[in-house]
Each structure stands twice: as structure tokens, then as C-alpha cells.
Amino acid sequence: MPAKRTPEPPEGAAPPAAEQEPQRVGEPTESAPRRGDGAAGTAAPGAEGEVPAEAVTPLIRGIAVLRELTEAGGTLSLSGLERASGLARSTVDRITATLARMGYVRFDGRDVHLSPRLMELGNAYMSALRLPALLAPHADALADELDESVSLAVADRDGIRFIHQATRRRAMSLSFRIGDLLPAERTAPGPLFATEWTAADWQRWRERRAADPRDLSFTAVPPRTHEGDAEDAEAFEHRTREASAHGWSLDDQLIEPGLVAISVPIRSPGPGGRIASVASVVSHTSRHTARNLRTTLLPRLRSAVRAMERELHAAPPPESGPPPSDLALWTGASKQQLGREFIESLARGLTVLTAFGEGRPELTLTEVSRATGLARATARRALITYEHLGLVAAAGRTFSLTPRVLSLGFPPLSRTSLPEIAQPHLADLTSRIHESTSLAVLSDSGEEIQYTARAATARVMSVNITVGTRLPAYATALGRVLLADAPEGVRGAEDLPALTAHTITDKQTLAQALTSVRTQGYALVDEELEEGLRSIAVPIRDSSGRVVAALNTAMHASRRTPSECVTDLVPELTATAARIQTDLHTAARFTHVPLT
């Protein structure tokens, strides 16, 4: 989470509150499990028994809303959220207004969309876990070596949840999203994790299967075509015994026809060597049979796992990064500004999850309170609520996040792209400056830019560019921002074609212009691409500081002078670029964000 959020209104104002309705039950109950409920079959996956007296009801309801949005793929209408959650419309309006204030959702008309900033909750779990950072490079290298998809998974009660995916780009792609939950009995990692189950774990698994015999509650896998029976249960128990004896496990088309996988456990350092994660190679029967996976790929998978275990043994203890700060002050200021529409207990409860992170995998109540600036009583009630929901586990005086935190938006957001991240920011910028705005990246050749996102303004005379359009990089503001950071500089022929009388065609002169772009932080191109067209652009940087895209606005030269472009538009462009970068850095911390 950013160190401190200033109390600014979110992009996209919340819709007006709906008519008041009688309050309904916060968490709907159903006799049969619904798609998306995970192992619990209620609106609060992971919850066990009655709600503790000290649990925070608005926090429970807010988590339910986030889960409904997650299971819907990241977008639902307000009325759809009302139906799915069972909450009164006025309650849904207040919850989504609070989440929008935190930057976790945004509004598009009456639709609510998950925002990349929500991934900071999952990032807190992934950072505290450390496994993705330590093991992902080995998984990626194995995927390159085998030319097959490789995944890393952790146990989530009687299911498995993915924490890393190294996929192959093919017409028939085999991959799940990071954070997806799968039933243990239909996977290759499942029997390996089940070798460590207690009698209580096996009993919980049997109860879950009895309540959900077709796996309707697991949205990441196709439902069973038939209800699971005693034969299926016996088959899983047999696979678990084999996994214990052999140290590996197979999935021979258990999830769906054609999909096969083989898995090997990655054991944590120290006495006992419990399973920290499971590495899997995933393929399909047109490339490998299950038997072929075992005979051909298992030795290389085992070799990679040994390297992963050496990495875990050799890794020094992590340094504790800075926890979030002033969050209690921020929520208090937001409450004062928004009044009843801001649910302070929900916002404060969500900030508790961000107290955890790298070097902070286990925290006491005092440490959570200190990290967030919340009163001990407030932090305590939030932790009690999360323990009830299965998002936090308690061990003695310390608390830690569970993999279930990834159920809060991470799966759909893990597939987001830079254009998708940028689009709402472009629309907001366009509405403020009343000019069309665009995002572009440099082509593989380095000679052209390609437009990847755009927000057009309504004018009689406007710049007519569509997504996918390519233009010469040297003659555009977008291109110069990108070329200024490119190590190869300007590529292509020695002579640059003159597109207008104003086009810079000399490479030495262009190199000097690129130096100015690097110094001043923006590029202004005046009628070099087309007569009468003036454009100004700023960079978009990844977390390493590398320029990966550029943001611009373009207009007819009569609308603003070059000086006015710099004074009026550069601050707006720079502020928007900063917001896009914040979302990009959050989304890309443990996932790959495509630039196009």
C-alpha cells in the first residue's frame, strides 16, 4: 500500500445513492453451493460456525462484495451486486463508495469494476510468503527449458491455490490465474498436500464433497459431469498414498479432457521439511500423455525442485520493508469529507491486511496496531473477523495471512494489461482537458509506435487515431519519449523521411532533441507528423524506472500555443502518468502485465 493516501476523490464519482430499502441479511444462505463460494458454500468462504460477537459486520459485508466481484470476473452492475450479495442496495452503494475511495474499485456508469490497486492485498500475502519471489525465476527457467507451462501452488485447506504461472503462448493455452482455487482431488498437487492432512482435514474434505458433489463452488474448474461418489473418494485416497510413497503425483485429465500435469513437492528448510509449495508441469495429451510426463519430464522437474529447495535454504532472512503509515488518519479524513457514504470500519479493517508483507509474515496485535496506526481494539476486531473468514490464521500471540487473501480480486486482476490499466485514467484525463489522449508503445523494430489505448473527446475537429495504428517514432511526441529511453536510440536508415516541412530528418539533430526529452521529462512535437498537428507526451515507467509506454494528447495547432501546451497540459499528463504507474507497479509486482 502506498505510504500515505491523500484524501482525494477517486476517479469516477460514485453513483447517487439508491432509494432506501429495508436492511436485509448481510450474508445470504442457500441450501446448495453457488459458483464462487469456495469450500464453504456461503457468501463468506472460509467462515466456520457462528459469527463472533466482536466481528466487524461492515467488514464481513465488504469482503463479500469483493468476492462477488471477483467471481464475476471483476465487473458487476450495482443491481447485480445487490442480487449476488443479498445486501440492501443502500448498503451496496455505501460499500462500493468506500472501496472506490480506497482505489479498490471504480465506477463506469452503474457498473463496478475491480481496480489494480486492490492487488495490494494479495501482494501483502505474496510478499509475506516470499515463495513467489524466490522460486518464480526457477519456474520460469524450467518452462523455457521444457517449452511447457509450469505452475507453483500452495495448500488452501482442502484445495490448492496458484501463486505463480509460467505459461507458454500457444493457440491451445493451458494455465490458470494466480489466486485461482481448485479442489485438491482434481489436481496433481492435491495428493501431495493431502499427505500432510490430519484426520480433521480429511473429515472437512469429506463434508465439503458431500455438500458440493459437482464442485459448483470452484469457479476455476468445469463442474463435474456427475456427482462425486465413494469411488472418487477412494481414488483420491489411493493417489495420496502413492504420492506419499513416490514423492510425485499425476493429474491424468481430472480437471477436463486433454489436460495432464505432474507435480513434485518443494519442502521448506528446517526439521520436518513440510511441503511449502508444489511445482507442476502442465501440458495436454496432444503433446504428452500422463505416462510420458512421468518418464520424460519428471527428472527435469525434480532437478528444478532441488534448485528451488537450495534457494529456500540459502535465502537470508528478509529485511522488513516499511509498513503503511498514517492510514488511521487517512480513513478519519475520508469519513469527515464523505460522511455517511464512507464506512470507516470497512476501510480500517482492510488496511489491517496491508500491515503484513516482506519481513512481516507474522505479527502480534501490537505490531499490527503500530503498523497501521489503528487502536488495538480496532485492529483486534478486524483480526477476529479475518480469522472467522479464513483470511488470517492465529498461532499463539501472532497472526499471519492465509492464501485465501488471494480470493479478493487477484485472479481476474492478474490477467490485466497495461492498456486496461490505463483506459480509465485516459478517460478521466480527457474529460478534464477536453482533448483526446492516447497510450502507445514502441514496436519491436524500434522504428514505429503502436497505439494501445485511447480516449477520444467530442469535437467537430479532432485527431482521428484508432488503437492499433502505427506511426513513425521519430516524428511523434510519443515516439520521442520512447526513443529517449531506448538503449539503441533511433534505428533504421541514415536519412529520415520528411513528412512535413517541419520534420526533423537529421539524426544528429534528433539525438539532441531526445537528450532534451530526457532532461525535461516530456516531448513536444509541432507539425512534424502532419501540418497543423501539435502533440505533447510524457513517459510511463515500470518499477525499475524503464520507460515502457508513453502518454500523450494531440490537437490542432490553433487550439493551444506550444507554451500553453507545456504550462497547461504537462502537469495534467504527468499526474495521470503517475496514477497509471502506481497501478502498474501494484499489478506487476507478482504478475506479468502485457504492454499491449
Side-chain angles (χ1 to χ4, degrees), residues 144-167:
D144 291 338
E145 177 190 349
L146 302 180
D147 195 26
E148 297 290 352
S149 295
V150 174
S151 65
L152 299 174
V154 293
D156 187 350
R157 289 178 170 261
D158 59 354
I160 71 158
R161 205 176 286 273
F162 293 104
I163 59 170
H164 182 72
Q165 292 282 351
T167 60

Side-chain angles (χ1 to χ4, degrees), residues 31 55 86 147 303 306 319 381 416 455 497 514 522 556:
S31 57
D147 195 26
S303 176
R306 286 193 293 271
E319 294 184 7
R381 292 189 64 199
T416 194
L514 297 182
Y522 67 87
H556 190 270

Side-chain angles (χ1 to χ4, degrees), residues 5 47 74 98 140 186 198 266-267 292 321 326 391 416 502 590:
R5 292 197 184 100
T98 301
D140 295 344
R186 293 177 64 184
T198 64
I266 306 164
R267 299 193 176 273
N292 182 246
D326 295 338
L391 297 167
T416 194
H502 306 280
F590 293 104

Side-chain angles (χ1 to χ4, degrees), residues 363-386:
L363 297 176
T364 64
L365 171 59
T366 299
E367 289 169 335
V368 171
S369 174
R370 186 183 303 122
T372 58
L374 299 174
R376 280 175 54 90
T378 302
R380 178 174 174 272
R381 292 189 64 199
L383 290 168
I384 289 172
T385 305
Y386 286 135

